[in-house]
Each structure stands twice: as C-alpha cells, then as structure tokens.
C-alpha cells in the first residue's frame, strides 16, 4: 500500500468509527492497526496530529467512541511509534492527554470499586504517547506497571501484558522524580527471574534494562547493582549475539522503508540494545574490566550491520564516541577491541554519508582529547598514555587519516548546520599530538 493510500485508508476507517457500534468499531480498529504497522515515521506524524487526538477526545465525550475502544487504538499507536522510535509530540498538547491524565488521577484516588485494568491501560497510553509527566503521574505509573511486569505466568496473554507494561515503563528511565525504593527491588526481581527462567519476550527484557539503565542519569549509585548484581554486560553481549542470528541483514532497502520483511522486530530490538549501551557508557562512573567486552560487542555489531543497516552502524559509532568521552572507560580498551580500526575504515569510505561522517569526526574529537598530553585541569592521565599515543599516531598515519579529515574540513560548517554535531572548527582537535 503506497504512502498516500495508507493515509487515505486510515482516515476513511477513522471517519467511519462514529457510525459503528462498539463491536464493529473494534474490527475497524484492528484494520487500522495493520495500517499503522506499515507506516514510516513521516506517515505516523502526519496522521496523528493534535487535531485527530482532540477528535478522539470529543468522540469519547459525546459517547460516539467508547473509552475501551479508544484505548485499544491509542495503544496501537503508542506501541508502533515506540518500536519505530517516533515521538508523537502532538499528543502532549491535546485535550485527549488532559482527559487521560484526569482519569488516571481520579481512578487512582478511588477507595472502592477501583478499575485496575482501566488504570493500567491509561498508564500505558500516557507513557507511550506523552513526552512530559507530573511527579504524581510518575509515581502512579511506576507503581501500577511494575505490578503488571512482576506477573510470572507463562501464558501468551500475560507475556503480552508484561511486554506492554515494560515498554511503557522504559520511557520513565531518565525522570529524576522516581525514587529508588519505588522501582529498584521490583526491577531486580523482574530481570533476575528472567535470567533464570527466560519468561520475558526479547522486547520486554530489553525494555526492562532500558528503564533501569536510564535511571543512571538520576542516580549514579545504581552502577554497582547493574554491573555486579544483575550482570548487565554479560546479558547485553548475549542478547546482541542472539539477536544477530535472527535479523535479516540483507533485507531490501525498500522493505526496510515500509517496515516489512523477516527479522524486522529483531532488528528494532537490536538497535534498542545499542542505544541502551550508549546510555550506559554515558552513565557509568568507574572502570570495570568487563567494559572491554562491551566495546568488542559494539564493534562486532557495527561490522555485522555496516553494509545493510546504516542506522544501526551509525548508532554503533555514536555509542563508541560516548565511550571515548567517558574517562571511566579505559582508552586502551577502545584501541585493543578495534573501535579505532572501524572508525578509520569508515571515514575513508567513498560512500560515506554526511551523518556517518559527523559521527566519525565526533569520535575522533573525543578520542583525541583523551590521548593528548596531561593538562592542568585534568586529574590524571590514562595509564601507559605515551605508549598508546604512539600506537594511535602510527595507525592513523598509516591509514592516511589526516588527509581524509582535511578533505572533510571544508564541509564541517555544513555538517554542523545540518546535523547539530557541534564539530570543532580547529583542525588540530581531530589529531593526536605526540
């Protein structure tokens, strides 16, 4: 179905909802779900505007659409938007968002006859579609959805409910208002139980980690529990290795654009793991000998994806750049595990696009900063710094890196304006000084 036809068909089905009874509405919403599943980022944003969310709110108020059916539709939108990493910014401003927020608070405050299922659904819709949350709603959502995620039953229906709850929860990762005692023990239990029994879907397990790793921005003390108690590095490496077997890396580009083809879901989860590792590299505060294995996994992921999935390979370079910028990461690990090699190889490719060029240059800025001689405002110099600098200098000289960067220098202004990379205009920032 072509883009214009998808949008047209969706709008036709949506317009028909007002004339249907509840049962027939559900059938039409299922047809709408299939259309949403095939939409790309631009199509999702063009259809799910503030106007359409306001219309849904009005239909609920006028009893032309039941809240139950509205929730089904919204969860379809939220699920597919989240999987495709598309923020639907228009929901935040809509009257529907305000209606859902009020319903959540009212339902939570009920003493008797509380509709727990409704509250769960409202929390999931809110977290999957909204971009900002009040402290009160954060607490309601975290408490409510963690209870769902703790359900250990093995049937498929429960697995889907747990997956949706964790998918929604992971959007709370970076919000400071959530206190550790509200989530840590439950999240530990969810992750450790899965490590023993493998009861979660791949997406649910990845989302649980994404939620927890996101908390590092608010609480650095979580690093010890994440690395040593829950064995994040071991699990992340295993998941990437397993997922790489199921992704169809040679899927045609037109299939990727349509979101179709074998291994599509696994490819999305693979990408989310890479993003989670990037968050970890930003938040870890002390060196651990296992980090070298994590860097090795990112390098392997890049080599696996480089010829057939540009978005994943770009995110791998970005992740390595974050690792290079964090002084808790041993710079020698980046060298030994091949991070420098793949960036040197990539920056000299004739088919290199602008986005990847920017990522590679940013990596070298951070890498070079770590290798330059100790200055007055630095607390320490990396171990064996002089020896590492010589190795790097010899490698970049041998690979002709300096000539490649000089060729890019004239386009740095363009890259900054187009992609907001904040690349340095001082050419010496891209080189290691011996």
């Amino acid at each position: 179905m072509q883009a214009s036809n998808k949008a047209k068909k969706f709008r036709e089905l949506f317009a028909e909802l007002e004339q249907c009874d509840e049962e027939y509405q559900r059938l039409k919403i299922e047809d709408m779900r299939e259309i949403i599943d095939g939409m790309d980022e631009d199509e999702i944003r063009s259809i799910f505007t503030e106007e359409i969310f306001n219309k849904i709110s009005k239909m609920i108020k006028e009893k032309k659409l039941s809240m139950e059916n509205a929730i089904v539709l919204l969860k379809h939108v939220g699920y597919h938007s989240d999987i495709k990493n598309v923020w639907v910014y228009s929901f935040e401003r809509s009257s529907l968002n305000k209606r859902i927020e009020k319903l959540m608070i009212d339902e939570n405050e009920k003493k008797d006859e509380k509709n727990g299922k409704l509250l769960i659904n409202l929390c999931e819709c809110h977290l999957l579609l909204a971009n900002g949350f009040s402290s009160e709603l954060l607490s309601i959502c975290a408490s409510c959805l963690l209870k769902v995620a703790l359900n250990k039953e093995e049937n498929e229906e429960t697995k889907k409910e747990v997956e949706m709850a964790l998918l929604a929860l992971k959007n709370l990762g970076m919000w400071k208002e959530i206190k550790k005692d509200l989530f840590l023990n439950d999240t530990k239990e969810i992750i450790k139980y899965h490590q023993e029994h493998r009861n979660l879907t791949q997406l649910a397990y990845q989302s649980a980690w994404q939620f927890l790793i996101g908390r590092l921005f608010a609480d650095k003390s979580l690093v010890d529990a994440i690395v040593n108690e829950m064995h994040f590095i071991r699990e992340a490496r295993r998941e990437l290795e397993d997922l790489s077997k199921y992704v169809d890396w040679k899927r045609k580009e037109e299939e990727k654009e349509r979101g179709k083809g074998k291994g599509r879901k696994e490819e999305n989860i693979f990408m989310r793991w890479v993003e989670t590792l990037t968050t970890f590299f930003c938040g870890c505060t002390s060196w651990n000998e296992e980090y070298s294995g994590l860097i090795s996994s990112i390098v392997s992921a890049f080599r696996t994806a480089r010829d057939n999935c540009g978005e994943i390979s770009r995110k791998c370079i970005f992740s390595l750049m974050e690792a290079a910028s964090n002084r808790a990461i041993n710079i020698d690990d980046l060298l030994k595990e091949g991070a420098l090699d793949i960036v040197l190889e990539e920056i000299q490719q004739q088919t290199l696009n602008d986005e990847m060029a920017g990522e590679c240059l940013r990596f070298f800025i951070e890498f070079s900063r770590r290798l330059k001689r100790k200055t007055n405002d630095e607390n320490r110099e990396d171990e064996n710094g002089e020896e590492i600098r010589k190795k790097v200098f010899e490698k970049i000289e041998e690979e002709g890196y300096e000539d490649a960067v000089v060729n890019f220098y004239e386009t740095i202004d363009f890259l900054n304006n187009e992609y907001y990379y904040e690349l340095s205009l001082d050419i010496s920032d891209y080189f290691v000084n011996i």
Side-chain angles (χ1 to χ4, degrees), residues 361-377:
L361 291 172
R362 289 180 74 195
F363 171 87
F364 273 107
I365 288 176
E366 298 301 333
F367 195 82
S368 182
R369 282 174 183 164
R370 290 285 302 279
L371 288 170
K372 287 182 178 179
R373 296 183 188 280
K374 187 174 179 180
T375 58
N376 293 332
D377 61 349

Side-chain angles (χ1 to χ4, degrees), residues 84-338:
K84 296 173 185 180
N85 202 24
V86 181
W87 284 110
V88 185
Y89 296 105
S90 53
F91 179 80
E92 183 75 25
R93 305 184 296 269
S94 71
S95 59
L96 182 59
N97 183 36
K98 295 180 178 62
R99 177 180 293 276
I100 286 177
E101 287 180 342
K102 185 177 185 307
L103 277 171
M104 289 167 65
I105 293 169
D106 291 346
E107 196 62 44
N108 186 64
E109 290 177 349
K110 285 182 181 178
K111 302 298 182 186
D112 301 312
E113 298 183 3
K114 185 180 291 189
N115 188 336
K117 184 66 175 176
L118 174 62
L119 184 57
I120 290 166
N121 285 327
L122 292 171
C123 287
E124 288 171 349
C125 289
H126 187 60
L127 294 188
L128 288 169
L129 291 169
N131 304 299
F133 316 103
S134 68
S135 297
E136 182 179 12
L137 291 177
L138 286 173
S139 297
I140 292 172
C141 290
S143 175
C144 180
L145 296 184
L146 279 168
K147 288 177 184 175
V148 177
L150 282 164
N151 192 336
K152 299 178 177 68
E153 293 179 25
E154 291 291 335
N155 62 74
E156 288 303 310
E157 184 179 354
T158 297
K159 284 188 174 185
K160 288 180 182 178
E161 290 172 353
V162 170
E163 180 180 90
M164 185 65 81
L166 288 169
L167 188 69
L169 268 172
K170 69 110 178 72
N171 290 329
L172 294 181
M174 298 180 189
W175 290 85
K176 294 181 179 180
E177 289 85 352
I178 308 176
K179 295 185 172 130
K180 189 190 296 186
D181 58 4
L182 187 61
F183 71 88
L184 185 56
N185 288 337
D186 287 345
T187 310
K188 275 186 185 179
E189 183 178 340
I190 291 165
I191 288 173
K192 286 186 172 182
Y193 188 85
H194 174 77
Q195 289 171 352
E196 293 178 16
H197 302 279
R198 300 296 164 191
N199 64 308
L200 301 175
T201 65
Q202 289 176 315
L203 179 59
Y205 189 50
Q206 192 282 323
S207 297
W209 276 115
Q210 200 167 350
F211 166 66
L212 188 58
I213 299 296
R215 303 302 308 146
L216 284 174
F217 284 95
D219 188 349
K220 304 293 186 187
S221 70
L222 292 170
V223 171
D224 182 62
I226 288 169
V227 175
N228 298 319
E229 290 183 50
M230 288 178 279
H231 310 291
F232 168 69
I233 295 170
R234 178 195 71 192
E235 291 294 295
R237 296 189 70 189
R238 184 186 58 77
E239 288 290 317
L240 283 175
E241 183 177 335
D242 288 349
L243 282 163
S244 68
K245 299 172 185 175
Y246 296 101
V247 175
D248 181 3
W249 294 108
K250 298 189 181 299
R251 186 156 55 93
K252 293 179 180 179
E253 202 60 41
E254 56 266 28
E255 289 179 335
K256 292 179 183 181
E257 290 174 4
R258 294 196 304 268
K260 300 293 184 182
K262 178 185 173 184
R264 174 175 61 90
K265 186 174 182 179
E266 287 79 7
E267 182 181 311
N268 286 330
I269 300 171
F270 191 100
M271 187 180 301
R272 292 159 82 93
W273 269 109
V274 174
E275 291 171 342
T276 303
L277 296 180
T278 304
T279 306
F280 178 77
F281 284 139
C282 292
C284 64
T285 53
S286 57
W287 182 80
N288 185 298
E289 62 183 9
E290 289 187 83
Y291 292 171
S292 62
L294 210 51
I295 292 165
S296 175
S297 290
I298 292 289
V299 171
S300 295
F302 173 85
R303 292 196 182 279
T304 300
R306 70 185 305 172
D307 294 328
N308 296 290
C309 189
E311 183 66 10
I312 289 180
S313 57
R314 186 182 68 79
K315 287 181 183 293
C316 287
I317 299 298
F318 180 77
S319 186
L320 293 171
M321 183 275 296
E322 292 292 354
S325 68
N326 186 342
R327 291 186 67 82
I329 305 294
N330 190 333
I331 196 71
D332 197 26
D333 287 338
L334 288 161
L335 186 60
K336 288 189 297 187
E337 301 300 337

